[in-house]
Amino acid sequence: MAKDREKDQKEKKMFVGIAWNCAAELKFLLTALLFLCSLATVLQFLPSRFSLSSSDLRDCLSRLSTAAAAITNTSDVDAAVVKKVLAPPPLPPPASPSPPSFQQDQVLEGGIIKRGFNPYGAASYNFILMSAYRGGLNTFAVIGLASKPLHVFGRPTYQCEWVPHLSTQLQSVTAVGYKILTDWGYGHVYTVVVVNCTFPVPVGDDGSGGRLVLHASTNGGGDRKLNLTDSFEALTEAPGSLNVSYFTSPPKYDFLYCGSSLYGNLSPQRVREWLAYHVRLFGEKSHFVIHDAGGVHSAMLEVLRPWMEKGYVTLHDIREQERFDGYYHNQFMVVNDCLHRYRFMTKWMFFFDVDEFIFVPRKSTIRSVVDSLSDYTQFTIEQMPMSSRLCLSQDAGKTFRKWGIEKLVYRDVKRGIRRDRKYAVQPRNVFATGVHMSQNTAGKTTHKTEGRIKYFHYHGTVAERREPCRQLVNTTEVTVDGVPYVLDTTMRDAAGFVKRFELKMVGSILQRTRQ
Amino acid sequence: MAKDREKDQKEKKMFVGIAWNCAAELKFLLTALLFLCSLATVLQFLPSRFSLSSSDLRDCLSRLSTAAAAITNTSDVDAAVVKKVLAPPPLPPPASPSPPSFQQDQVLEGGIIKRGFNPYGAASYNFILMSAYRGGLNTFAVIGLASKPLHVFGRPTYQCEWVPHLSTQLQSVTAVGYKILTDWGYGHVYTVVVVNCTFPVPVGDDGSGGRLVLHASTNGGGDRKLNLTDSFEALTEAPGSLNVSYFTSPPKYDFLYCGSSLYGNLSPQRVREWLAYHVRLFGEKSHFVIHDAGGVHSAMLEVLRPWMEKGYVTLHDIREQERFDGYYHNQFMVVNDCLHRYRFMTKWMFFFDVDEFIFVPRKSTIRSVVDSLSDYTQFTIEQMPMSSRLCLSQDAGKTFRKWGIEKLVYRDVKRGIRRDRKYAVQPRNVFATGVHMSQNTAGKTTHKTEGRIKYFHYHGTVAERREPCRQLVNTTEVTVDGVPYVLDTTMRDAAGFVKRFELKMVGSILQRTRQ
């Protein structure tokens, strides 16, 4: 008991000492840093091997900065917990992290030539943080990019740490980060990683605030000799900012659309049609999240603007991710950010593209359809591929005045082709998501939705800014380049309603929209 | 003229100033470094975003160290040339390379949410230097590993610089580094790169010494916003060390074997047979370069030792490359190092494995064969695949006393299978090499070597340390698991000669070698 009290007092002293007067540690660390930097700088001036210090510097500095982080990080937590989380000791002796020397070839006893290998620089980041969201009282999702070969050939690990706000004097809590690779098989320099941080106990649930720190370790991925750990803050919760009822309250929306990365010179008219059509379909309790990876040029923004002003659309500018080379403008990262960001704000979440139009048959509504599927966490939707170039002869001379969904009326009926599906989920049961479906859900998935819901796909029509009609046809069936088509006026028949709906909702402002 | 003279004088002054008294630059740089380090350290102690400095630090330090390198590097060269080579200015103002700040999400005018992305750490090196060799008066080869996705998805570039020895007052010379990717399609975290540095003029050809510096630029590979350049010394030539006749003199050897990476628990007895067989085949003017990636255990070393002592074998310990995850123990790097290291020391260079035995028919010798192919820079060699488990019934009970090439006498004759070939080159005409052939040669390649030279391949026999005979057969033809075999005693017939040759050359020391 006496021992415990002594320990408690010591800890308190330590806490006060560090929190209110960290000058001693600061001085020590600064001195160590300066010493190392000086050493490194001097090394650079040695005439023979001037640039060995570039990578070595990084090594020693990363060690030091990790140590520094350890202190800042954990000044208010139990030292034993800290040690488990952070491998390097909190205060390394200034002489010990000496830079590894340049490896020269050596001739060993018996004439064996021991060859040296010398690494320089860095070709990719370990982790690129996009966002982190709380998913409940004890769980979080961290969304970002990580080095692709690190995940394919190495075994990087993630450790989560909840660091309570300074004022609470609570201990920090740690958990193994469960990584989900949502675009496995894709990716370039970087691949998308969703790290699920689920702690054994609720954290910060009293609203006292805190920080979620992610420790990302390479485990020798780029160099088997080194296990580099990068520790960074993924999320900060200010005291009083947490609303615990958020996770159990009925969601604000019935339907939320998570769009993929928009890129290129897209057609404003096609997106105008798409938006009016789907706001009408999904109704008042719906919302559309659009991601601009460079595709929302000024004419496109004009189309979005009236719907943004009416509160139907939120536009995310994600152009900065273009810095990091991943699969198709990092679309897998973007949809996962959307999932977790809006997870508690909608009953259903839809994932499809802006050249695709969801359709439910007459006598049903989108609401009656999802209600009939409410036992499922996820359902997928069948594709109706539409020609992006065949139009009706009767539209000759007036195609430019007609909407895309009005004039493109020939459906590809070639059999035996596996066609992509799109999908919708009840996001509270989903942990990560892909582009064609999610493979990380709690609850059932169904693909048996034929006759209840489908989508018309006008492939390639959004990516170009010219009149799509290339060939006019006056029969109900036609075969072009070996592909059989049939006349399908389902969407054409809806066009008039959609036009009147748009006029009613946003006025005539969009009527001069160009291809 | 006056201006020119003034400039000359200034340059001389600069040179003297830097060479004999670089204290001013040193102080300046040190101050800048210390200032930045201090800033970074202090930043780490800010409670809210403690770890942003990890990557930023690297950025600012790499800029500074590049600048430092620029000075050291080029203190004795024309400033105009320097500028072309090294993008960053030689002396950045200490305030300018401020660390990029943590990107927060921002709400822009009109409600657009501008998302931030924050990178941390490093997952792979830009370049790992194994070696560099001079290939003539104006040309060099630099051999190493580079980040694989950087080469697959990015466009890294290499710039070569010859920096003459301080005493010469000569200008440095630059050239574009021509990169050769020898294992395209393979590779893991790292891929093999051979950079050919060919300068427009001879460099250091008067024997005055100098340094080959490689500038490796990522060109935005890991981050499109940054073009990081790592500059490092690939080769140093001490004054007086260059022997220009080396490149034109007749080579020391007729035949040099470049072995691939040896790894795993290999059979000493199989390697004993291989070595005795090939020393006998290739003769007195031959040499064998063996690369130990972990496969040369003590029993294996005992087998190599007598041949090393007789000068037939050089053993390279390349275990250190295991740190860097490339294709099969970085074998493509190893064979390229061997090519360039021994390029002027041998007339012919052979590339094959230690479970493969080169054979030339009776009435010819290996010398008569290569002489008949001397018009070709490269020729490839047909494979005779041998069973690694079928032996003769007549050897029953005494297989353990027989050599592998003596008892494994069944040849796989299945048709219609594309089988690997091995190859030999005249290395002075080769710029880079692969495992099955070189695709970077000057001069012709022939595959029409049937009847003149072939190799017997005992696949899998070296990688395990047990008796290979599993099934005894007493017919001249047999089909096992659908594969037809015929009796082929070519190698069995040679075994006696090889045993006597070994005894003559190294005595009885190897006669107790185990499987």
Side-chain angles (χ1 to χ4, degrees):
Chain A
M1 274 301 281
K3 222 178 175 180
D4 276 3
R5 193 187 284 167
E6 204 178 284
K7 206 184 136 203
D8 275 355
Q9 282 186 339
K10 257 193 194 163
E11 269 172 19
K12 268 191 194 159
K13 259 190 205 159
M14 223 177 92
F15 158 65
V16 174
I18 294 172
W20 302 111
N21 180 13
C22 57
E25 267 74 20
L26 240 169
K27 265 185 209 161
F28 185 82
L29 269 159
L30 271 171
T31 315
L33 253 173
L34 298 189
F35 172 78
L36 277 163
C37 292
S38 321
L39 193 73
T41 313
V42 170
L43 275 176
Q44 297 202 354
F45 283 89
L46 293 182
S48 70
R49 290 290 178 183
F50 64 91
S51 64
L52 74 112
S53 40
S54 154
S55 61
D56 308 329
L57 244 183
R58 176 158 338 117
D59 281 3
C60 74
L61 276 161
S62 76
R63 284 183 219 181
L64 261 185
S65 68
T66 316
I71 289 179
T72 327
N73 216 340
T74 51
S75 54
D76 42 350
V77 299
D78 185 288
V81 178
V82 176
K83 263 190 197 147
K84 263 203 287 181
V85 187
L86 297 152
L91 281 178
S96 93
S98 61
S101 58
F102 183 89
Q103 286 191 353
Q104 299 274 9
D105 291 350
Q106 298 167 47
V107 180
L108 306 181
E109 227 186 277
I112 300 168
I113 304 172
K114 182 160 178 57
R115 305 296 300 272
F117 297 86
N118 292 284
Y120 300 96
S124 72
Y125 296 112
N126 179 9
F127 198 89
I128 299 153
L129 176 68
M130 179 173 187
S131 55
Y133 301 101
R134 193 185 259 274
L137 299 186
N138 68 332
T139 185
F140 298 82
V142 183
I143 295 115
L145 300 171
S147 165
K148 168 97 180 165
L150 184 62
H151 280 274
V152 175
F153 302 108
R155 281 190 297 177
T157 54
Y158 300 96
Q159 179 91 13
C160 308
E161 184 183 8
W162 176 259
V163 184
H165 194 267
L166 209 71
S167 64
T168 62
Q169 291 189 244
L170 289 170
Q171 295 186 354
S172 89
V173 185
T174 64
V176 171
Y178 175 71
K179 67 180 177 198
I180 306 173
L181 300 164
T182 66
D183 65 357
W184 195 251
Y186 291 94
H188 286 172
V189 177
Y190 297 106
T191 194
V192 176
V193 181
V194 176
V195 181
N196 179 294
C197 292
T198 301
F199 295 99
V201 291
V203 292
D205 54 323
D206 59 351
S208 56
R211 295 177 289 120
L212 177 70
V213 174
L214 195 69
H215 305 278
S217 299
T218 59
N219 288 324
D223 184 341
R224 294 204 175 101
K225 220 173 168 182
L226 301 173
N227 179 12
L228 297 174
T229 297
D230 293 288
S231 298
F232 52 89
E233 190 176 297
L235 183 93
T236 313
E237 237 169 43
S241 65
L242 180 65
N243 172 10
V244 293
S245 70
Y246 176 69
F247 305 105
T248 48
S249 305
K252 182 176 178 186
Y253 302 115
D254 286 343
F255 304 103
L256 189 136
Y257 166 80
C258 281
S260 191
S261 308
L262 292 187
Y263 187 83
N265 192 11
L266 305 181
S267 162
Q269 170 60 27
R270 296 287 91 78
V271 173
R272 172 196 173 197
E273 300 171 15
W274 184 92
L275 207 41
Y277 177 89
H278 284 101
V279 175
R280 178 171 176 268
L281 175 77
F282 285 123
E284 283 201 355
K285 287 185 76 178
S286 72
H287 198 77
F288 298 80
V289 179
I290 307 290
H291 292 101
D292 172 18
V296 181
H297 47 76
S298 59
M300 181 68 83
L301 189 56
E302 280 175 36
V303 167
L304 301 180
R305 185 68 74 194
W307 296 106
M308 289 170 72
E309 284 166 2
K310 291 199 82 71
Y312 280 101
V313 168
T314 295
L315 178 60
H316 288 253
D317 172 349
I318 53 156
R319 296 181 185 212
E320 189 73 12
Q321 54 70 37
E322 294 289 310
R323 281 166 62 189
F324 311 110
D325 186 11
Y327 184 72
Y328 199 79
H329 310 284
N330 295 306
Q331 61 170 327
F332 292 94
M333 174 168 65
V334 164
V335 292
N336 274 290
D337 174 79
C338 187
L339 166 70
H340 288 285
R341 190 178 184 96
Y342 298 105
R343 203 172 165 213
F344 296 94
M345 291 181 71
T346 186
K347 196 154 182 238
W348 288 93
M349 204 174 253
F350 280 73
F351 298 87
F352 58 102
D353 287 330
V354 291
D355 57 359
E356 297 169 338
F357 290 71
I358 302 285
F359 180 81
V360 295
R362 277 165 212 95
K363 290 179 188 168
S364 69
T365 63
I366 186 75
R367 193 175 308 247
S368 71
V369 170
V370 296
D371 283 351
S372 76
L373 293 163
S374 63
D375 280 356
Y376 296 95
T377 291
Q378 175 175 235
F379 65 86
T380 63
I381 308 169
E382 189 192 12
Q383 181 182 161
M384 302 285 119
M386 299 297 286
S387 166
S388 56
R389 43 176 297 146
L390 299 181
C391 296
L392 279 174
S393 299
Q394 68 186 75
D395 287 349
K398 43 190 176 175
T399 55
F400 67 95
R401 273 188 279 138
K402 294 207 178 291
W403 280 21
I405 56 171
E406 205 176 358
K407 58 194 171 190
L408 294 166
V409 289
Y410 284 92
R411 180 157 56 82
D412 175 348
V413 288
K414 190 160 190 173
R415 285 161 179 272
I417 293 175
R418 208 203 66 80
R419 302 196 188 272
D420 283 341
R421 298 176 75 92
K422 291 300 159 77
Y423 70 106
V425 296
Q426 302 201 53
R428 292 189 188 194
N429 292 330
V430 177
F431 306 108
T433 194
V435 164
H436 297 298
M437 71 177 290
S438 167
Q439 296 183 301
N440 298 279
T441 58
K444 295 180 291 178
T445 292
T446 181
H447 304 292
K448 288 183 188 149
T449 55
E450 266 108 285
R452 288 199 265 187
I453 187 165
K454 57 188 174 182
Y455 72 92
F456 290 90
H457 184 198
Y458 300 82
H459 182 71
T461 54
V462 176
E464 53 175 38
R465 298 190 63 177
R466 57 172 183 172
E467 172 57 44
C469 293
R470 298 275 202 296
Q471 190 177 336
L472 301 181
V473 180
N474 61 5
T475 52
T476 54
E477 293 185 11
V478 64
T479 296
V480 178
D481 298 334
V483 178
Y485 292 92
V486 299
L487 184 69
D488 183 331
T489 61
T490 313
M491 296 300 288
R492 182 180 177 94
D493 299 342
F497 299 102
V498 179
K499 288 179 184 178
R500 282 194 290 281
F501 175 75
E502 185 203 68
L503 191 64
K504 187 187 87 186
M505 292 293 282
V506 302
S508 60
I509 191 170
L510 295 180
Q511 292 190 344
R512 289 174 169 245
T513 304
R514 286 178 306 171
Q515 298 289 340
Chain B
M1 275 298 282
K3 222 178 175 180
D4 275 3
R5 192 187 286 166
E6 203 178 286
K7 204 181 136 205
D8 275 355
Q9 281 186 340
K10 258 192 193 163
E11 268 171 19
K12 266 191 193 160
K13 258 189 205 163
M14 224 177 91
F15 159 63
V16 173
I18 296 172
W20 302 110
N21 179 13
C22 57
E25 267 74 19
L26 239 169
K27 265 186 208 161
F28 185 81
L29 267 159
L30 271 172
T31 315
L33 253 174
L34 297 189
F35 172 78
L36 275 164
C37 292
S38 319
L39 192 73
T41 313
V42 170
L43 274 176
Q44 297 203 353
F45 282 89
L46 294 182
S48 69
R49 289 290 179 186
F50 65 89
S51 66
L52 75 111
S53 41
S54 154
S55 60
D56 308 328
L57 244 184
R58 177 160 332 122
D59 282 3
C60 76
L61 275 161
S62 76
R63 286 182 218 180
L64 262 184
S65 69
T66 316
I71 289 178
T72 328
N73 214 340
T74 52
S75 53
D76 43 351
V77 300
D78 185 288
V81 178
V82 176
K83 261 189 200 147
K84 263 202 287 182
V85 187
L86 297 153
L91 281 178
S96 92
S98 61
S101 57
F102 184 89
Q103 286 191 352
Q104 297 274 11
D105 292 350
Q106 299 167 48
V107 180
L108 306 180
E109 226 186 277
I112 301 168
I113 305 172
K114 183 160 176 58
R115 305 296 301 274
F117 297 85
N118 292 284
Y120 300 96
S124 71
Y125 296 112
N126 179 10
F127 198 89
I128 298 154
L129 176 69
M130 179 171 186
S131 56
Y133 301 100
R134 194 186 258 274
L137 299 187
N138 67 333
T139 186
F140 298 83
V142 182
I143 295 114
L145 300 171
S147 164
K148 168 99 181 163
L150 183 63
H151 280 274
V152 175
F153 302 108
R155 282 190 296 178
T157 53
Y158 300 96
Q159 179 92 14
C160 308
E161 184 184 7
W162 176 260
V163 184
H165 194 268
L166 209 71
S167 64
T168 62
Q169 291 188 246
L170 289 170
Q171 296 187 352
S172 90
V173 185
T174 64
V176 171
Y178 175 70
K179 67 179 176 200
I180 306 174
L181 301 164
T182 65
D183 66 358
W184 195 251
Y186 291 94
H188 286 171
V189 176
Y190 297 106
T191 193
V192 176
V193 182
V194 176
V195 181
N196 179 295
C197 292
T198 300
F199 295 100
V201 291
V203 292
D205 53 322
D206 59 353
S208 56
R211 294 177 289 119
L212 177 70
V213 174
L214 196 68
H215 306 278
S217 300
T218 60
N219 289 323
D223 184 342
R224 294 204 175 99
K225 218 173 167 182
L226 300 173
N227 179 13
L228 297 174
T229 296
D230 293 288
S231 298
F232 50 89
E233 191 175 298
L235 183 93
T236 312
E237 238 169 41
S241 65
L242 180 66
N243 171 11
V244 294
S245 70
Y246 177 69
F247 305 106
T248 48
S249 305
K252 183 176 176 186
Y253 301 115
D254 286 342
F255 303 103
L256 188 135
Y257 166 81
C258 282
S260 191
S261 308
L262 292 187
Y263 187 82
N265 192 11
L266 305 181
S267 162
Q269 170 59 27
R270 296 287 92 76
V271 173
R272 172 197 174 197
E273 300 171 16
W274 184 93
L275 206 41
Y277 178 90
H278 285 101
V279 174
R280 179 171 175 267
L281 176 76
F282 286 122
E284 282 202 355
K285 285 184 76 178
S286 72
H287 198 76
F288 297 81
V289 179
I290 306 290
H291 293 101
D292 171 18
V296 181
H297 46 77
S298 59
M300 182 69 82
L301 189 56
E302 280 175 37
V303 168
L304 301 180
R305 186 67 74 195
W307 296 106
M308 290 170 72
E309 284 166 2
K310 290 197 84 73
Y312 280 100
V313 169
T314 295
L315 178 60
H316 288 254
D317 171 349
I318 54 156
R319 297 182 183 210
E320 189 72 12
Q321 53 71 37
E322 294 290 311
R323 281 166 62 188
F324 312 111
D325 186 11
Y327 184 73
Y328 198 80
H329 311 283
N330 295 304
Q331 61 170 327
F332 292 94
M333 173 167 66
V334 164
V335 291
N336 274 290
D337 175 78
C338 188
L339 167 69
H340 288 285
R341 190 178 186 96
Y342 298 105
R343 202 169 164 214
F344 296 94
M345 289 179 72
T346 186
K347 196 155 181 235
W348 288 93
M349 205 175 252
F350 279 73
F351 297 87
F352 58 102
D353 288 330
V354 290
D355 57 359
E356 298 168 338
F357 290 71
I358 302 285
F359 180 80
V360 295
R362 276 163 212 96
K363 288 178 190 166
S364 69
T365 64
I366 186 76
R367 193 175 307 246
S368 71
V369 169
V370 296
D371 284 350
S372 75
L373 293 163
S374 63
D375 280 354
Y376 296 95
T377 292
Q378 176 175 235
F379 64 85
T380 63
I381 307 168
E382 188 192 12
Q383 181 182 161
M384 301 287 120
M386 299 297 286
S387 166
S388 56
R389 45 176 296 146
L390 300 179
C391 296
L392 280 173
S393 299
Q394 67 187 76
D395 287 349
K398 44 189 175 175
T399 56
F400 67 94
R401 270 187 280 140
K402 294 207 178 290
W403 280 21
I405 56 171
E406 204 176 359
K407 59 194 169 190
L408 293 165
V409 289
Y410 284 92
R411 180 157 57 82
D412 174 348
V413 288
K414 191 161 189 171
R415 285 159 180 272
I417 293 175
R418 208 202 68 78
R419 302 195 188 274
D420 284 342
R421 297 176 75 92
K422 291 301 159 77
Y423 70 106
V425 296
Q426 302 201 52
R428 293 190 187 193
N429 291 330
V430 177
F431 306 108
T433 195
V435 165
H436 297 298
M437 72 176 288
S438 167
Q439 294 183 303
N440 297 278
T441 57
K444 296 179 290 178
T445 291
T446 182
H447 304 291
K448 289 183 188 149
T449 55
E450 266 109 285
R452 287 200 264 187
I453 187 166
K454 57 189 175 183
Y455 72 93
F456 290 90
H457 184 198
Y458 300 82
H459 182 69
T461 54
V462 176
E464 52 176 38
R465 299 189 62 177
R466 57 173 183 169
E467 171 57 45
C469 294
R470 299 277 201 295
Q471 191 176 337
L472 300 182
V473 180
N474 60 6
T475 52
T476 56
E477 292 184 13
V478 65
T479 296
V480 178
D481 298 334
V483 178
Y485 293 92
V486 298
L487 184 68
D488 183 332
T489 60
T490 311
M491 296 302 285
R492 183 182 177 95
D493 299 342
F497 298 104
V498 179
K499 288 179 186 179
R500 281 192 292 278
F501 174 74
E502 184 201 69
L503 191 64
K504 187 186 87 186
M505 293 293 283
V506 302
S508 59
I509 191 169
L510 295 179
Q511 293 191 343
R512 288 172 170 248
T513 305
R514 285 179 305 171
Q515 298 288 341

